Amino acid sequence: MQKILIDGGVSLSGEVKISGAKNSALPLLMATILADGEHRLHNVPDLADVRTTCKLLRELGVDAQMGRGVARVTNSGVSNCEASYDLVKTMRASVLCLGPLIGRFGQARVSLPGGCAIGTRPIDQHLKGLEKLGAKVQIEHGYVDASARRLTGAQIVLDMATVTGTENLMMAAVLAKGTTKIKNAAMEPEVVQLAEVLVTMGARIRGAGSESIEIEGVTELKPARCAVIPDRIEAGTLMVAAAITNGDVLLRGVHSEHLAALIEKLVEAGVAVAESPDGLRVKGPARPRPVDVTTKPYPGFATDMQAQFMALMVLARGTSVISEHIFENRFMHVQELKRMGARIQLKGSQAIVRGVKQLTGAQVMATDLRASASLVLAGLVARGRTAVHRVYHLDRGYQRLDKKLRRLGARIRRSRARPPVTIR
Ligand code: EPZ
């Protein structure tokens, strides 16, 4: 398995282009199930999860090919409505094929995604919503079996603003008979882009970006042509990289309105953030001020930025409290940061971070996508060498983050981890 080696202490400088958003590309790729023809998705990031999604589409009989940032998807009819355990176990977001399959073909058999490092992550809201739309849903042998003659529009009130739940139900409803209302819908930019692209395909959707989305079912859709929005979490991660190294970095191709909550907290911490026609310029402070953060659904502070922001607060001149209110186990990075000298105390959903002046490099283990980003950020500023193991976590959601950081001056490279020596 590969690892990332970082020799800390360099203040980053220069400019970096933000890639397309993973969490927009995945639902958009699944939306190609809804219409026959030649779909074209531009600005698609080259990520493990995108490649997995294309593989899933091919398993369903849809020809999905990725090349130079463009996904060319030729749907000439789905030959199989099953997403296998082997695929879903590698990527939970595979569950996003459920809505389009049941919505268009009246059947779907999708392996139940298991839990993951950050939480149990059930899909009860997805299934409850499909039943409201008239699907018969059974769970057996670890699979969701859903069937319906044709879905019929209904009012669905979600218990919480689930992102992929909103996306799945929106994709199920676009071909249903009648009108569907999704209440307590997620408002993330990725949900909005999915709705916008579905509308360009011929769907009738209003209210995306608010907590109430109305979908009037149609009988047929046409292929998608779109460009994926910039990845606000990659952008946020690189903003923290500039801040934590007291650097001066220009981020190109970023939608700053998607980052309002993070920008507010970075400015509170003493980071200079300036918007210009060229992009977003971020200049770090010599040492950040402590800032309390609570993760919330969009437009609140993103849970996907919690681990990265914590890395910054580890070096603050004072104590900050970071509260994780979206997932029940999203502090896996804490133990690893403590091995680098961080002073963090966990109390339920809160992490009390007492700032230190200096971290030291160490061998650390990535456990999930954003935790691995947090460890890379800490390594950029730690004294000495940090080795981040299990880098495959990082590659699921970042398009060569190490390369982008190296171009900004970081002393960072990949190396193949030697297999553990077994002493006989
Ligand atoms: C999406 O996951 C993102 N993934 C996650 O990004 C992100 O962390 C999350 O939204 C929250 O913003 C994609 O978009 C592919 P949720 P999702 O359903 O949809 C509970 C990353 O790092 N819940 O909004 O799975 C759930 O347990 C990834 O890029 C139910 O209880 O998240 C969680 O506590 C990680 N029942 C909360 O809701 C359900 O049926 C929010 O989850 C659905 C969700």
Side-chain angles (χ1 to χ4, degrees):
M1 275 191 274
Q2 280 194 330
K3 60 187 177 184
I4 280 185
L5 303 176
I6 309 160
D7 293 326
V10 174
S11 290
L12 301 187
S13 64
E15 52 187 74
V16 60
K17 174 128 179 23
I18 300 302
S19 301
K22 164 179 86 84
N23 291 348
S24 195
L26 301 185
L28 289 174
L29 283 164
M30 296 295 195
T32 63
I33 293 168
L34 290 163
D36 285 352
E38 306 278 326
H39 304 258
R40 285 281 179 286
L41 282 61
H42 297 267
N43 196 36
V44 178
D46 181 13
L47 302 172
D49 276 6
V50 167
R51 292 190 291 273
T52 302
T53 303
C54 290
K55 188 165 171 243
L56 168 58
L57 288 172
R58 290 193 294 271
E59 275 196 8
L60 300 176
V62 178
D63 181 24
Q65 302 299 333
M66 261 297 290
R68 302 169 66 82
V70 180
R72 290 172 173 75
V73 183
T74 305
N75 184 346
S76 40
V78 161
S79 54
N80 158 40
C81 285
E82 177 170 331
S84 68
Y85 172 74
D86 286 345
L87 251 172
V88 176
K89 77 180 178 192
T90 64
M91 187 185 71
R92 315 177 34 74
S94 309
V95 76
L96 279 167
C97 71
L98 195 54
L101 284 173
I102 186 82
R104 181 159 182 226
F105 300 103
Q107 57 173 327
R109 179 170 156 77
V110 178
S111 171
L112 258 182
C116 79
I118 63 177
T120 52
R121 302 184 71 183
I123 60 165
D124 57 298
Q125 301 295 306
H126 303 230
L127 304 182
K128 183 185 90 172
L130 289 175
E131 287 177 323
K132 279 282 179 75
L133 294 172
K136 184 168 168 293
V137 175
Q138 280 180 310
I139 292 179
E140 51 185 18
H141 308 301
Y143 276 79
V144 174
D145 266 309
S147 58
R149 287 176 56 78
R150 185 185 177 194
L151 295 180
T152 47
Q155 169 151 301
I156 300 165
V157 183
L158 295 170
D159 293 352
M160 81 290 294
T162 157
V163 174
T164 50
T166 303
E167 291 166 345
N168 237 338
L169 294 170
M170 199 156 57
M171 289 193 281
V174 288
L175 294 173
K177 184 171 181 302
T179 302
T180 296
K181 278 190 182 170
I182 302 174
K183 298 286 192 186
N184 201 12
M187 301 189 267
E188 272 70 2
E190 296 76 26
V191 173
V192 172
Q193 176 163 45
L194 176 62
E196 288 169 346
V197 172
L198 287 169
V199 166
T200 64
M201 294 167 70
R204 292 200 192 122
I205 302 173
R206 286 188 312 185
S210 78
E211 59 183 8
S212 174
I213 301 177
E214 186 171 301
I215 302 121
E216 190 188 328
V218 296
T219 52
E220 194 177 11
L221 295 177
K222 55 185 193 294
R225 287 276 188 292
C226 63
V228 177
I229 56 174
D231 193 316
R232 60 193 167 97
I233 307 302
E234 183 196 52
T237 304
L238 287 161
M239 291 175 78
V240 173
I244 202 170
T245 58
N246 190 16
D248 182 350
V249 174
L250 178 70
L251 282 76
R252 288 188 177 285
V254 62
H255 289 175
S256 56
E257 66 275 16
H258 294 165
L259 288 152
L262 173 68
I263 291 171
E264 188 171 308
K265 292 295 180 181
L266 286 174
V267 168
E268 255 182 72
V271 180
V273 180
E275 190 158 7
S276 74
D278 296 333
L280 213 52
R281 188 165 176 188
V282 182
K283 290 172 78 173
R287 197 170 170 202
R289 291 194 289 265
V291 175
D292 295 346
V293 159
T294 300
T295 64
K296 292 190 184 77
Y298 191 87
F301 190 95
T303 174
D304 291 351
M305 278 304 306
Q306 179 257 107
Q308 299 93 309
F309 195 81
M310 187 185 290
L312 180 66
M313 288 298 102
V314 158
L315 291 155
R317 55 175 81 243
T319 298
S320 54
V321 178
I322 296 183
S323 307
E324 173 54 62
H325 283 189
I326 303 292
F327 290 108
E328 65 268 29
N329 187 35
R330 205 170 197 176
F331 286 140
M332 306 282 275
H333 43 288
V334 167
Q335 290 315 321
E336 298 303 301
L337 289 171
K338 289 172 78 168
R339 298 184 60 251
M340 299 175 73
R343 290 169 61 197
I344 308 169
Q345 191 188 359
L346 290 180
K347 279 187 176 168
S349 64
Q350 288 191 328
I352 292 99
V353 183
R354 277 192 295 281
V356 296
K357 280 205 178 102
Q358 175 75 57
L359 291 176
T360 56
Q363 304 263 3
V364 289
M365 187 74 77
T367 51
D368 59 270
L369 170 53
R370 306 305 174 180
S372 33
S374 169
L375 299 176
V376 169
L377 293 171
L380 291 176
V381 73
R383 179 166 44 79
R385 171 158 292 185
T386 296
V388 181
H389 293 257
R390 296 190 181 168
V391 175
Y392 61 86
H393 287 293
L394 197 72
D395 293 337
R396 292 194 47 185
Y398 289 97
Q399 183 170 326
R400 290 312 305 266
L401 182 65
D402 49 321
K403 207 169 172 181
K404 286 181 170 130
L405 291 169
R406 191 161 53 244
R407 283 199 189 133
L408 294 170
R411 289 187 297 242
I412 182 171
R413 65 181 175 84
R414 278 173 192 254
S415 102
R416 181 153 294 286
R418 279 193 298 279
V421 175
T422 44
I423 298 161
R424 297 192 185 292

